Amino acid sequence: MELFELTLHELLALHSNNEASSQEITNSVFMRIHQVEDDVKAFISLDEENARRKAKAADSEKWSGKIAGIPFGLKDIFCTRGLKTTCASKMLENFVPTYDSTAGARLNQAGGVLVGKLNMDEFAMGSSTEQSAFFPTHNPWDLERVPGGSSGGSAAAVAAREVPFALGTDTGGSIRQPAAFCGVVGLRPTYGRVSRWGVVAYASSLDQVGVFARDVADCALVMNLIAGRDSRDSTSLEVEVPDYTSFLDADIKGMKIACPREYFGQGVDAGIQEAVKKALHKYEEAGAIVEEVSLPHSEYALPAYYLVATAEASANLARFDGVRYGLRDDQAENVIDMFAGSRSQGFGSEVQRRIMLGTYALSSGYYDAYYLKALKVRRLIYEDFQKVFKDFDLIVAPTTPTTAFKIGEQTGDPLTLYMNDILTVPVNMAGLPGMSIPCGLLNGLPVGLQLIGKPFDEGTLIKAAYAYEEVSGTKCLKPQGVK
Amino acid sequence: MGKDYEVVIGLEVHAELKTESKIFCGCSTAFGAEPNTQVCPVCSGFPGMLPVLNEKVVDLAIITGLALNSEIPDYCKFDRKNYFYPDLPKAYQISQFDLPICKGGYLDIEIDGKKKRIGITRAHMEEDAGKLVHQGNITSTPFSLVDLNRSGVPLLEIVSEPDMRNAREARAYLEKLRAILLFAGVSDCKMQEGSLRCDANVSVRPMGETKLGTRAEIKNLNSFRSLERSIEYEARRQIEAIEDGEEIIQETRTWDEEKQATRSMRSKEEAHDYRYFPEPDLPPLRISREWVEQLRDAMPELPNQAEIRLQERFELPTYDAAILTLTPQSLAFFDKCVELYPQPKTVSNWMMGELSRLLNQNNMEISECRFGPAELARLLNLIDEGTISGKMAKAIFEEMFASGSPPDQIIKEKGMTQISDQDTLSKVIDEVIAANPAVVEDFRNGKDKALGFLVGQIMKATKGQANPGAVNSLLRERL
């Protein structure tokens, strides 16, 4: 077995036994990247020179920490000091931040070796990574298919064994959906669990940083490194961070699992429903109690999400005006034309669409009917979950209505594309932790099992995911689209 | 015609809060630094940056609210106010929309001895924008520069009720508000530096009408004078327009200092739709009663309290008390001076007379005065002791003001001591009497004026240093 195929915890074990040096691991990872990247196109940029330097430093113990010398990738929405951070947008094509995101910095401090920045839908707006201004990423299971999005590059890179783990962000499903499409583990923590500082904002009240890994244990390890209060992010909360690896325990006897009937409705592929039901059966076999419940306001989550998210985005993306950084229209005759020209040239069509949607939703005369109503729906969705969590430990449902679709298949119709998020957005609207783990294949493509937990109860998600992984035989699924 | 109309005025005042660092980042708020030297990725709106609220700003806002008799609600929040402008780095300003930190309140003004209460609608915290630096002529320059030193400086916007009826009241309100902010220690209130800015909402309506007329908002008022002038101009303009059968349109106007006129900036149709919505990067702010009470307990004396104290303890007239409490510096000067020279009315007269005249002449604040209250007290004591005359004191005072030297030094340097010594004076008096027999004769024949001539001669002989009281009595004795 090659080093690049190993998981984080396997690498750490080898490394601590001096069976593999950081340089060997990094070499192996870059070899793999060069081997498959032409097909997968997960990375926007690579930082090979620095990565090799850090690996060397790790071997001489100048670069130390809990994951010293282990390579990882970051979605290109995480600001990296001295390294281009593009958000897959022409607007920021040449933007080099002077600061690191808190999450990225914590991985650096733990000795991690950043190998590069991963592709995404422009400014995290999309569900297929086709909205990248540069190029689409290909699903390692079938190169003609999308990896999902918006963190498609992160999911694809982890699935294709280009990096053992990567960070992404999840605003409406942008970690869980691509994790499902690529057959990897994806965890979106509770809103406020991981600092958003230094992560370019899409929708501030929904965005959350999370993890892509090949198995649940790795996910727990990375969570241990990135979770926790950051004084620079006022929305990150002072809640004790447990040792997430202590939840890697398959004993789930008596665990109460809710299965929401609204997540098995029309539009959710029958094969996916079947796979999820099989998984639920496995949980029962392991001693969990599974009951059907109702989350009655689920159907309103998607439209409400697209109002809240776009409203916040319209303000968050207003700073890209060509004045201080980013693309500028140099031909403009005056400042207003410069604003308009820069934004028209810098933003892709989906970003422009969402900015316009959000601007409209906040406009005087429409605010109450759209934005305010969406906030009320958000409250109802939260209360739905709260009720269920009075009696249950977690909720299990499908992550996506379909498996990965073909590149180009859905680009014509934004509304169809938005439907991809229908099973993931309620978690964001309620600020809850959500996870997607592989639960088998459907026509050769991975199916995602979604676990939803109580606020700050990532531990239970990890425990339940680990228990399933132990009995399912779906751990570390190898994608068939790349050699 | 003016008599048939009533002018209605409300003011929106932006006060820069006196903090070391900005409202959402650690950058310095110091005024006058080189452009873009007090900036960081947060206050220059870089991607991924997040605001963290400076608690000192909240303290100062609460203190202001208490000083303005406002309610401080348990709960307030921040909102985003969206508009594009090159000096606004995020293209939204973090402000407070529907749940401000201070609700309601009032302050009292006094015009010609009559008290009037002006309502305060609200006060809210927000961040300042940067500023544009135009190269040469704004219309012909190919580019402008942006200075973000001011971006993120904390502001408190204080909105009054439309309770003022003329320019004088508006001025009195702004002066009183400034005094309160200065006493409370929350702002420097330097209008020239922009740490106190004022917009005026002005409308007119027929006398007796209760509905408000259409208002114009006047911007760019950077002195008390321009506030007064612009309101007078704007009221006249609106009345004339109505008289001419025109309709007043709701618009924003700017005060043109050169032309001494307001002119239209943008109409209501062109007004921004700010699309306010709750700031998701900052959790709502909960303000505990303990927090408020702690600040209330530590409140410094406010102008009203000081005014009452001056009237009650020192028996000063209302007018004196009002003037002396316009700034904490002038009150402190007065208090210290009275401590050393316990004749409050005399101190007040000197401060409101000589000192105020010289300060105004030199366009200075009392804080810039080169001598302190101890020096004034010493000067007044020297008069009482008879060392100098009142007239000499005024000359010495001017010298003190110009050089900052203490009175004793000036007296010594210029040999200005008053001569009260009987023997010395008698000698001079005898000489003058001997030299002017005719005048002496006139006086003895009942010509009182002759005495004045003789006194003048004595003063001349002593280079003005003779104690006039002593001269008078000695002279009368001799004659």
Side-chain angles (χ1 to χ4, degrees), chain B residues 5-34:
Chain B
Y5 289 89
E6 180 176 49
V7 184
V8 178
I9 304 152
L11 297 187
E12 286 171 23
V13 173
H14 286 87
E16 211 172 84
L17 293 173
K18 211 159 68 180
T19 55
E20 294 289 315
S21 56
K22 294 184 178 180
I23 183 168
F24 298 125
C25 65
C27 290
S28 165
T29 55
F31 179 81
E34 284 292 301

Side-chain angles (χ1 to χ4, degrees), chain B residues 268-474:
Chain B
K268 191 186 175 186
E269 285 71 37
E270 299 165 90
H272 298 294
D273 175 359
Y274 290 121
R275 305 189 307 280
Y276 282 99
F277 74 100
E279 167 57 273
D281 287 332
L282 291 167
L285 192 56
R286 286 180 196 284
I287 298 166
S288 70
R289 292 307 93 186
E290 292 75 49
W291 190 355
V292 176
E293 290 317 309
Q294 231 167 35
L295 292 169
R296 194 195 301 276
D297 290 345
M299 273 300 258
E301 186 183 42
L302 293 173
N304 271 357
Q305 297 161 330
E307 229 179 295
I308 293 167
R309 177 168 63 83
L310 296 194
Q311 291 173 55
E312 287 181 354
R313 194 192 304 167
F314 299 127
E315 293 174 344
L316 288 188
T318 321
Y319 180 74
D320 291 37
I323 300 282
L324 291 174
T325 54
L326 275 178
T327 67
Q329 288 81 8
S330 93
L331 178 66
F333 195 104
F334 173 82
D335 279 334
K336 186 74 198 163
C337 198
V338 168
E339 214 179 289
L340 300 167
Y341 181 79
Q343 293 192 45
K345 183 57 186 157
T346 308
V347 173
S348 170
N349 287 347
W350 274 82
M351 284 184 65
M352 292 176 35
E354 289 308 291
L355 181 56
S356 153
R357 178 178 64 81
L358 290 171
L359 288 173
N360 285 342
Q361 257 173 29
N362 293 281
N363 202 13
M364 280 163 66
E365 303 271 340
I366 196 163
S367 55
E368 297 166 292
C369 185
R370 289 203 190 84
F371 63 86
E375 283 71 41
L376 176 57
R378 175 71 187 144
L379 183 73
L380 300 180
N381 272 315
L382 286 169
I383 302 174
D384 286 2
E385 287 162 11
T387 312
I388 52 172
S389 66
K391 203 174 166 192
M392 284 160 75
K394 286 193 180 171
I396 295 165
F397 188 86
E398 292 211 12
E399 184 58 31
M400 284 161 67
F401 191 88
S403 67
S405 305
D408 292 286
Q409 192 187 325
I410 295 168
I411 289 165
K412 202 173 151 200
E413 278 170 12
K414 308 226 159 168
M416 283 171 96
T417 326
Q418 184 169 255
I419 304 165
S420 305
D421 176 59
Q422 287 222 0
D423 294 344
T424 320
L425 285 180
S426 299
K427 212 178 137 208
V428 179
I429 289 168
D430 289 343
E431 280 168 21
V432 170
I433 289 175
N436 298 283
V439 184
V440 171
E441 200 52 37
D442 282 351
F443 177 74
R444 287 185 177 141
N445 291 335
K447 274 196 182 171
D448 265 7
K449 265 190 183 167
L451 189 74
F453 176 79
L454 292 173
V455 171
Q457 291 302 303
I458 295 161
M459 294 311 275
K460 203 175 162 187
T462 58
K463 291 179 189 147
Q465 284 171 264
N467 181 336
V471 168
N472 247 302
S473 56
L474 281 174

Side-chain angles (χ1 to χ4, degrees), chain A residues 79 95 98-99 191 196-200 204-205 231-235 312 315-316 318-320 323-325 335 339 343 359 362-364 367 371, chain B residues 41-42 44-53 80 82 84-92 146 148 273 275-283:
Chain A
C79 290
F95 175 64
T98 55
Y99 42 87
Y191 184 79
R196 295 183 294 116
W197 199 85
V199 180
V200 182
S204 312
S205 76
S231 60
R232 291 182 298 185
D233 175 0
S234 309
T235 64
E312 291 180 10
N316 282 332
R319 69 187 62 197
F320 304 108
V323 174
R324 296 163 310 284
Y325 50 79
V335 74
F339 288 153
R343 292 168 67 76
T359 305
L362 289 174
S363 296
S364 122
Y367 182 89
Y371 184 74
Chain B
V42 174
S44 45
F46 270 65
M49 294 297 93
L50 297 171
V52 176
L53 178 61
R80 290 183 182 178
N82 298 285
F84 283 98
Y85 204 67
D87 68 6
L88 188 69
K90 298 187 296 298
Y92 59 81
V146 184
L148 294 179
D273 175 359
R275 305 189 307 280
Y276 282 99
F277 74 100
E279 167 57 273
D281 287 332
L282 291 167

Side-chain angles (χ1 to χ4, degrees), chain A residues 14 76 113 179 194 253 260 272 364 423:
Chain A
L14 283 184
D76 208 13
V113 173
V194 182
K253 269 194 201 75
I272 286 183
S364 122
L423 303 175

Side-chain angles (χ1 to χ4, degrees), chain A residues 463-479:
Chain A
K463 187 178 166 78
Y466 182 74
Y468 178 76
E469 194 180 62
E470 287 292 289
V471 297
S472 67
T474 53
K475 182 174 168 168
C476 291
L477 292 175
K478 260 194 193 155

